[in-house]
């Protein structure tokens, strides 16, 4: 599947979810990386007109789990995030942030993914990491 088809599928599957509520949109994909964009607006801000740390974590979870998701056979496997953390290092400015996920470790069942979140000016706002597990579905597909 080519990169534009992957992005289109990911955005289509996000309709009606938390990602859509926060305005998160997948924007780029390549070998071992995935990017998504999230607006800095009334959906993602906290009082004081600052980007909410929870919204940043939702972006980290979305793009970090998404990277594992696109490489798996979802007819046979589930993908779950089992651990997530982030350090917020700078105030995000502008109208949006971009989360870029890249593999740190890609094992058979566990994947560790680093996610850098930058603002529209390219300034690093947060550094996150998520560990995903890939588990086989049971024989009944659940």
């Amino acid at each position: 599947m080519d990169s534009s088809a992957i992005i289109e599928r990911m955005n289509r599957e996000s309709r009606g979810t938390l990602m859509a509520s926060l305005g998160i949109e997948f924007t780029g994909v390549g070998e071992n990386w995935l990017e998504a964009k999230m607006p800095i607006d009334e959906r993602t801000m906290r009082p004081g007109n600052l980007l909410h740390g929870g919204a940043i974590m939702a972006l980290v979870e979305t793009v970090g789990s998404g990277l594992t998701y696109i490489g798996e056979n979802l007819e046979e496997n589930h993908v779950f995030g089992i651990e997530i953390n982030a350090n917020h290092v700078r105030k995000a400015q502008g109208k949006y942030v971009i989360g870029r996920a890249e593999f740190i470790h890609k094992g058979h069942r566990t994947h560790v993914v680093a996610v850098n979140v930058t603002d529209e000016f390219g300034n690093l706002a947060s550094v996150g990491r998520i560990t995903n597990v890939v588990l086989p579905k049971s024989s009944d597909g659940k």
Side-chain angles (χ1 to χ4, degrees), residues 40-55 91-92:
I40 300 173
D41 64 15
E42 68 280 351
R43 297 171 288 182
T44 60
M45 292 172 68
R46 67 174 184 85
N49 291 325
L50 297 170
L51 184 59
H52 194 289
K91 174 184 171 183

Side-chain angles (χ1 to χ4, degrees), residues 61-120:
E61 173 89 25
T62 298
V63 74
S65 291
L67 182 59
T68 292
Y69 175 87
I70 60 176
E72 289 300 320
N73 178 343
L74 299 175
E75 298 293 321
E76 296 179 9
N77 298 309
H78 289 293
V79 173
F80 299 104
I82 59 171
E83 194 276 336
I84 187 171
N85 65 63
N87 294 96
H88 308 301
V89 297
R90 181 184 174 128
K91 174 184 171 183
Q93 299 185 45
K95 296 180 182 179
Y96 61 87
V97 288
I98 294 174
R100 181 180 174 101
E102 297 184 27
F103 285 113
I104 296 172
H105 167 75
K106 188 175 179 182
H108 183 66
R109 290 283 176 225
T110 59
H111 297 174
V112 181
V113 179
V115 180
N116 286 339
V117 178
T118 56
D119 65 20
E120 73 174 282

Side-chain angles (χ1 to χ4, degrees), residues 2-12 14 23-30 33-39 59 62-63 66 70 96-101 116 118:
D2 70 37
S3 61
S4 61
I6 291 169
I7 295 300
E8 182 180 314
R9 185 189 84 202
M10 299 286 284
N11 286 323
R12 183 178 60 252
S14 295
I24 296 173
E25 178 184 346
F26 292 97
T27 57
V29 64
W33 65 271
L34 178 65
E35 284 186 348
K37 183 175 172 179
M38 181 177 71
L59 177 61
T62 298
V63 74
I70 60 176
Y96 61 87
V97 288
I98 294 174
R100 181 180 174 101
N116 286 339
T118 56

